[in-house]
Amino acid sequence: MKYIVAGNWKMHLTHSEVLNLALELKESLIEQSRKIDIFVFPPTIFLKDVQDVLFGSLIKTGVQNMYFQDEGAYTGETSPLMLKSINCSLALIGHSERREYFKEDDEMLRYKLLACKKWDILPILCIGERLEERESGKTEDILASQITKALDKTEMERLVIAYEPVWAIGTGKTATPRQAQEAHAFIKKLVKHIMEKDVPVLYGGSVKVENAKELAREKDIDGFLIGGASLHKESFVKIVNEFIRMKNL
Ligand code: 13P
């Protein structure tokens, strides 16, 4: 199982800024991308151009969201068939911002996972509890419910999970290494039970240069999904380097 460090650029940056960042990463992460998988998730409108910039590098480009139908009257959506037609085989599924602002529920995510399976797109399924759920001791119940509902009868062969506690996203509050480790161990055990294989579990939520080292030290943290700190070459590259160093790669 390979480790993964990924940048989710969300709805940030203009066309020229995105292409500059992609080019800087291509030039800065040559050695690192041989040791771990490095993924970037630009805004969909710039996806193809980022792919073109990254052509010839080992950094892979994915989509932040996709719909589950192959085609049809679904204004504004992007289909797996369209993604495959530009050789995009990587998708974030169920990011908490999609769940919260665009009302994506577990049932829809299940369809999206099935679409990924059909089209051989590697899904990174994002899960995580809200603050009130953590404070009332429901973290494991929530994670278990999100996982079992999304994976129900999907028989996925390939999957990555990103554990992103909602209260840690964009807030500057990171889960402590211990909180993250406990959640990751729980997720891995449950997913192994369902899929009968090990899947990588990434941590996301205010990952920064300052906390990357102590998070990467945890044994069940197989990588990061980074928001804000992935928008700058310096911080993203530093986090990648810190991760590689802590895992002795
Ligand atoms: P931040 O790193 O900005 O907290 O975002 C995390 C995230 O949502 C990545 O998908």
Side-chain angles (χ1 to χ4, degrees):
M1 186 171 66
K2 231 176 164 183
Y3 293 114
I4 301 165
V5 174
N8 174 8
W9 299 348
K10 306 194 181 181
M11 198 175 74
H12 291 293
L13 308 178
T14 61
H15 185 241
S16 59
E17 288 167 341
V18 157
L19 298 193
N20 274 337
L21 179 58
L23 186 60
E24 288 182 321
L25 297 182
K26 180 182 183 176
E27 288 166 353
S28 311
L29 293 170
I30 297 168
E31 286 305 313
Q32 296 90 326
S33 58
R34 295 200 182 102
K35 296 182 174 167
I36 61 171
D37 280 331
I38 299 176
F39 300 160
V40 291
F41 295 90
T44 308
I45 189 170
F46 305 139
L47 185 64
K48 180 75 179 75
D49 288 346
V50 170
Q51 282 183 325
D52 290 345
V53 169
L54 292 176
F55 186 77
S57 94
L58 294 171
I59 303 174
K60 294 199 184 79
T61 312
V63 73
Q64 296 173 15
N65 173 45
M66 62 163 227
Y67 200 51
F68 57 83
Q69 298 282 7
D70 295 349
E71 60 178 340
Y74 303 102
T75 303
E77 293 295 318
T78 308
S79 83
L81 171 61
M82 291 169 182
L83 294 173
K84 287 309 277 199
S85 73
I86 59 161
N87 290 318
C88 175
S89 300
L90 190 58
L92 295 182
I93 299 293
H95 190 282
S96 68
E97 288 147 15
R98 299 293 319 166
R99 295 178 191 251
E100 164 114 13
Y101 304 131
F102 303 97
K103 307 295 168 229
E104 294 194 3
D105 58 15
D106 295 313
E107 167 109 47
M108 172 172 286
L109 302 182
R110 196 173 86 79
Y111 286 126
K112 291 189 175 193
L113 289 180
L114 285 169
C116 285
K117 183 177 168 190
K118 172 175 172 191
W119 289 98
D120 200 23
I121 291 171
L122 175 65
I124 302 191
L125 175 68
C126 304
I127 59 170
E129 80 288 0
R130 299 157 184 275
L131 185 59
E132 61 273 20
E133 291 161 346
R134 173 161 284 271
E135 285 175 344
S136 56
K138 294 202 190 108
T139 299
E140 291 190 352
D141 291 348
I142 296 295
L143 298 179
S145 154
Q146 289 174 339
I147 292 168
T148 50
K149 286 183 184 154
L151 291 183
D152 186 35
K153 300 191 192 77
T154 56
E155 290 172 15
M156 298 300 289
E157 282 133 33
R158 299 199 305 141
L159 181 72
V160 175
I161 300 242
Y163 169 59
E164 301 203 306
V166 178
W167 49 272
I169 296 179
T171 58
K173 271 194 212 166
T174 324
T176 63
R178 188 175 167 173
Q179 283 173 325
Q181 167 58 33
E182 278 173 9
H184 281 227
F186 174 78
I187 292 164
K188 282 192 174 182
K189 197 167 156 202
L190 179 59
V191 175
K192 181 147 195 183
H193 178 72
I194 297 171
M195 288 178 58
E196 292 172 5
K197 62 176 71 156
D198 293 310
V199 305
V201 181
L202 318 184
Y203 172 78
S206 297
V207 175
K208 303 182 276 256
V209 176
E210 296 77 35
N211 57 28
K213 183 169 142 185
E214 50 177 12
L215 287 163
R217 202 180 267 145
E218 297 297 333
K219 94 169 173 14
D220 289 313
I221 295 187
D222 304 315
F224 294 136
L225 180 56
I226 308 165
S230 72
L231 296 172
H232 308 279
K233 182 204 89 176
E234 289 75 20
S235 42
F236 189 68
V237 170
K238 275 188 188 157
I239 294 170
V240 167
N241 288 341
E242 207 59 79
F243 184 84
I244 288 175
R245 197 166 69 83
M246 293 315 291
K247 296 291 189 196
N248 290 318
L249 302 172

